[in-house]
Amino acid sequence: EIVLTQSPDTLSLAPGEKATLSCRASQSVSNSHLGWYQQQPGQAPRLLIYFASIRATGIPARFVGSGSGTDFTLTIIRLEPEDSAVYYCQHYGGSPYTFGQGTKLEIK
Amino acid sequence: VLLVESGGRLVQPGGSLRLSCAASGLTFGDFWMTWVRQAPGKGLEWVASIDQDGGETHYVDSVKGRFTISRDNMYNSLSLQMDRLRVEDTALYYCARAGSSGATSLAYWGQGTLVAVSS
């Protein structure tokens, strides 16, 4: 089983700043089968990034996914107040398709 | 794409429950489908996935032997039969659409149905 560890647990930044969220896998994620999701309070998760770096439909270019192997990053440039949410990574290279524990992003 | 879950309620430990997910706005039989749950105040947990014709299924270890994922492509419906429920199964259960080539990233989600297991 691949364990995904996200860091930091919480991030507090101001509008306009850049957020860097990390997702580290306990073993290599095959073919960069990794996605990032945003979950705002009281809402279902929303897919942001798939295959580590491809933005999902309708996702602004401010959301940038990168990485391969065991280290993946979600970068959000020019933060906006509505980016306040919990962000999760998930691998889908093979069962079980585990999620990371999440990073809570607060916009000051 | 619209996914609407139903069937969640309060149930006693050891009891059973069947969740359903009605899908519309997609060619349902073209895609893998997945259940994901979220315990109150906690993170997301992948629960189970099923391929297009129901021939391949996968489960998280904690539900193997207790939960069964199934689908009916004629009625665009996904189900999760939950038996021998435990307190730790309490969560909001989401239905999500995966890809056509496997249990890939989850592009569409329902709003969830709440399962509470308590005596």
Side-chain angles (χ1 to χ4, degrees):
Chain A
E1 172 180 336
I2 294 178
V3 176
L4 299 178
T5 302
Q6 294 185 240
S7 61
D9 289 331
T10 305
L11 194 54
S12 184
L13 295 168
E17 291 190 306
K18 180 175 75 174
T20 302
L21 287 65
S22 173
C23 176
R24 180 160 290 177
S26 59
Q27 54 189 282
S28 184
V29 175
S30 63
N31 300 316
S32 294
H33 283 184
L34 186 117
W36 288 94
Y37 301 84
Q38 176 194 65
Q39 187 178 34
Q40 293 174 321
Q43 295 190 22
R46 175 174 71 146
L47 178 66
L48 299 174
I49 301 287
Y50 60 99
F51 284 127
S53 63
I54 302 174
R55 274 187 300 278
T57 303
I59 301 304
R62 303 186 296 105
F63 292 87
V64 179
S66 61
S68 63
T70 60
D71 289 293
F72 299 87
T73 301
L74 174 68
T75 303
I76 312 171
I77 57 178
R78 296 188 301 276
L79 285 167
E80 298 183 3
E82 60 264 32
D83 296 334
S84 182
V86 180
Y87 292 82
Y88 297 92
C89 58
Q90 184 209 14
H91 89 88
Y92 46 92
S95 179
Y97 307 106
T98 51
F99 286 90
Q101 85 279 12
T103 289
K104 183 176 183 179
L105 174 61
E106 300 173 339
I107 309 301
K108 299 175 191 174
Chain B
V1 176
L2 185 62
L3 302 171
V4 180
E5 303 93 337
S6 61
R9 61 174 175 86
L10 174 64
V11 62
Q12 291 189 336
S16 296
L17 206 55
R18 188 176 184 87
L19 305 184
S20 296
C21 172
S24 59
L26 76 164
T27 306
F28 184 71
D30 282 355
F31 299 98
W32 281 68
M33 296 295 294
T34 290
W35 288 98
V36 174
R37 67 184 179 184
Q38 187 168 35
K42 302 297 183 182
L44 302 174
E45 181 181 34
W46 169 79
V47 175
S49 294
I50 187 168
D51 74 349
Q52 287 91 334
D53 63 7
E56 183 175 348
T57 58
H58 299 277
Y59 300 90
V60 66
D61 281 350
S62 60
V63 309
K64 280 181 184 175
R66 300 189 300 121
F67 290 11
T68 303
I69 187 172
S70 62
R71 64 191 297 159
D72 187 332
N73 290 342
M74 184 171 297
Y75 293 99
N76 291 352
S77 177
L78 176 73
S79 296
L80 186 67
Q81 176 66 39
M82 309 164 68
D83 298 321
R84 302 199 305 278
L85 282 160
R86 304 169 179 169
V87 171
E88 55 265 34
D89 295 319
T90 294
L92 185 63
Y93 284 73
Y94 293 103
C95 159
R97 195 216 83 177
S100 57
S101 58
T104 61
S105 55
L106 304 172
Y108 297 95
W109 297 66
Q111 287 303 305
T113 187
L114 185 60
V115 173
V117 184
S118 175
S119 54

